[in-house]
Amino acid sequence: MTDLAIVFWLDLLGTFVFAISGAMLAVRRGLDIFGIAVLSVAAGLAGGIVRDLLLGAAPPAAFADPRYLAAALNAALAGFLFHRVIDRLSRPVMLLDALGLGLFAVAGCGKALDFGMGPLPAILLGVLTAVGGGVVRDMLVAEVPRVLREEVYALAALVGATMVWAAEALAFDPLWSATASVAAVVAVRVLSVVLGWRAPRAPGSQ
């Protein structure tokens, strides 16, 4: 499997997972099937579209390749039909969101590196890809985006994107480094929720 193939499949899987998180949030808010589809598509595709536009990859992969939209719509259908099964998981939206965060952070940074971006821009684009869909998803249901209210969120994506850059710089196997980076993001995100981790604040601030 080549680097480009790994980025593509991570991107597609991230689209599906984030889209399911959007579908589950839509079901929780009592939206109809159209609302579920809109929230799924927004959550699954927004981050990647912004990334591709900033990279100058036109048209964005979400528009050029119908598999992205198909993944988002299939996720919407899965949420519509099987939300009771998914909801039996502990904190399903958080878990799906953590997985999508990891997949998109890794895919976003990997794609930026493939386009010849330097370390810092590539890492930042990885973070932007990871948080973009969740921001749009939350805003559509009038929620404060998680990236603003849950502090170890963008930081978790930053960990994964940085690991991708470091692994490429050290010429590690791309498949193993991608897997380890996604796992690190999920672990940091889940542990931050379970253990109540918070980012440092300015001394004396509330």
Side-chain angles (χ1 to χ4, degrees):
M1 183 179 288
T2 66
D3 290 0
L4 288 176
I6 292 170
V7 168
F8 169 75
W9 287 110
L10 288 173
D11 215 19
L12 198 62
L13 183 57
T15 297
F16 183 79
V17 171
F18 250 142
I20 287 185
S21 78
M24 293 301 296
L25 185 58
V27 170
R28 183 175 295 174
R29 288 303 189 93
L31 303 185
D32 61 16
I33 189 169
F34 180 75
I36 293 171
V38 168
L39 220 60
S40 296
V41 169
L45 300 182
I49 290 172
V50 172
R51 174 203 62 208
D52 288 351
L53 290 175
L54 290 175
L55 286 173
F63 299 146
D65 191 330
R67 287 175 288 186
Y68 285 94
L69 182 59
L73 292 177
N74 281 324
L77 184 61
F80 180 76
L81 295 175
F82 306 115
H83 63 90
R84 291 186 182 88
V85 176
I86 298 171
D87 211 35
R88 291 174 188 166
L89 300 171
S90 176
R91 301 191 183 193
V93 174
M94 187 275 288
L95 291 171
L96 290 167
D97 193 66
L99 182 56
L101 192 74
L103 291 165
F104 270 161
V106 173
C109 183
K111 188 165 186 175
L113 290 171
D114 288 337
F115 270 70
M117 302 293 286
L120 185 57
I123 290 170
L124 291 177
L125 276 175
V127 174
L128 180 62
T129 306
V131 303
V135 168
V136 175
R137 174 199 64 203
D138 293 345
M139 290 180 66
L140 284 174
V141 292
E143 283 190 7
V144 178
R146 292 188 179 192
V147 68
L148 299 179
R149 60 187 165 89
E150 298 185 16
E151 296 171 350
V152 185
Y153 188 81
L155 285 177
L158 182 63
V159 168
T162 303
M163 287 178 63
V164 171
W165 164 76
E168 176 149 319
L170 295 170
F172 288 170
D173 179 79
L175 180 58
W176 283 105
S177 62
T179 303
S181 300
V182 172
V185 175
V186 174
V188 171
R189 176 67 187 132
V190 171
L191 286 173
S192 74
V193 174
V194 173
L195 301 177
W197 290 349
R198 304 182 70 178
R201 295 190 176 188
S205 66
Q206 296 184 355

